[in-house]
Amino acid sequence: SQQGEEDPQALSIQEGENATMNCSYKTSINNLQWYRQNSGRGLVHLILIRSNEREKHSGRLRVTLDTSKKSSSLLITASRAADTASYFCATGRQSTGGYQKVTFGTGTKLQVIP
Amino acid sequence: NAGVTQTPKFRVLKTGQSMTLLCAQDMNHEYMYWYRQDPGMGLRLIHYSVGEGTTAKGEVPDGYNVSRLKKQNFLLGLESAAPSQTSVYFCASRRGRGPSDTQYFGPGTRLTVL
């Protein structure tokens, strides 16, 4: 199964509302990243949070990480129609081969209705 | 900088045909990756490279081969395409394996195998 599991799978909100997405994982990690993917496009990196950090902000984005619960959340405040996209979490951990293994979850599809 | 580019953007193959997907990055990144994205599966790592002349298997390597003859290019080959390889393929690159090094993704190649 995927290392990262996002919840909910789909979310529909009105413009201006806040959107919260959650990611749970199973093993210890070095970092966790959130990506956005617009329909038919590649992934765009949003934010990275290290395992020793608890919260990080970037513009309207707020990411929290709780390593004891093995979970992270992405909060988008004051959502806009342009935020409509799929959001993926990706966990990074050191593999036995010496490289950092990045594992993606299945994503949350966010729709922001104007 | 163009970042990460992929060619072609779309391709339709018949079962048994072969093709090569090209990924190029102009950021002088050491690490490069090939993923496939399927509905409900997130991104799964096919092969990766930690430097020029190196390749390694990822999570789902069967049916694919790769080469990294030049640092800026990472090629993904399908020798005998199968319908199960219908997917969207993403290439990514990364500067290093530090915990703050993020992956940069290409726009994707949509492949259909009939």
Side-chain angles (χ1 to χ4, degrees), chain A residues 44-91:
Chain A
V44 174
H45 180 259
L46 295 176
I47 199 164
L48 178 150
I49 186 166
R50 295 194 193 197
S51 59
N52 60 355
E53 296 175 311
R54 292 296 165 258
E55 188 170 311
K56 218 164 177 184
H57 296 254
S58 177
R60 293 183 296 112
L61 306 180
R62 173 176 165 253
V63 168
T64 62
L65 179 64
D66 187 336
T67 53
S68 65
K69 294 182 179 178
K70 292 187 169 56
S71 67
S72 172
S73 67
L74 170 67
L75 168 68
I76 304 174
T77 60
S79 64
R80 304 167 181 167
D83 294 328
T84 294
S86 290
Y87 292 81
F88 294 87
C89 71
T91 55

Side-chain angles (χ1 to χ4, degrees), chain A:
Chain A
S1 63
Q2 294 289 319
Q3 164 77 326
E5 297 285 345
E6 284 94 336
D7 168 57
Q9 288 187 331
L11 180 61
S12 184
I13 59 174
Q14 294 289 131
E15 202 166 29
E17 292 180 338
N18 295 342
T20 300
M21 288 158 267
N22 303 296
C23 171
S24 60
Y25 56 92
K26 294 184 173 63
T27 65
S28 62
I29 61 173
N30 290 344
N31 59 58
L32 187 144
Q33 303 175 68
W34 285 91
Y35 287 83
R36 184 186 73 226
Q37 183 181 33
N38 291 87
S39 181
R41 306 293 293 274
L43 280 78
V44 174
H45 180 259
L46 295 176
I47 199 164
L48 178 150
I49 186 166
R50 295 194 193 197
S51 59
N52 60 355
E53 296 175 311
R54 292 296 165 258
E55 188 170 311
K56 218 164 177 184
H57 296 254
S58 177
R60 293 183 296 112
L61 306 180
R62 173 176 165 253
V63 168
T64 62
L65 179 64
D66 187 336
T67 53
S68 65
K69 294 182 179 178
K70 292 187 169 56
S71 67
S72 172
S73 67
L74 170 67
L75 168 68
I76 304 174
T77 60
S79 64
R80 304 167 181 167
D83 294 328
T84 294
S86 290
Y87 292 81
F88 294 87
C89 71
T91 55
R93 56 192 170 96
Q94 211 63 24
S95 76
T96 54
Y99 83 104
Q100 181 165 148
K101 182 178 171 69
V102 178
T103 306
F104 286 81
T106 52
T108 292
K109 191 170 284 189
L110 173 66
Q111 182 183 28
V112 181
I113 303 166

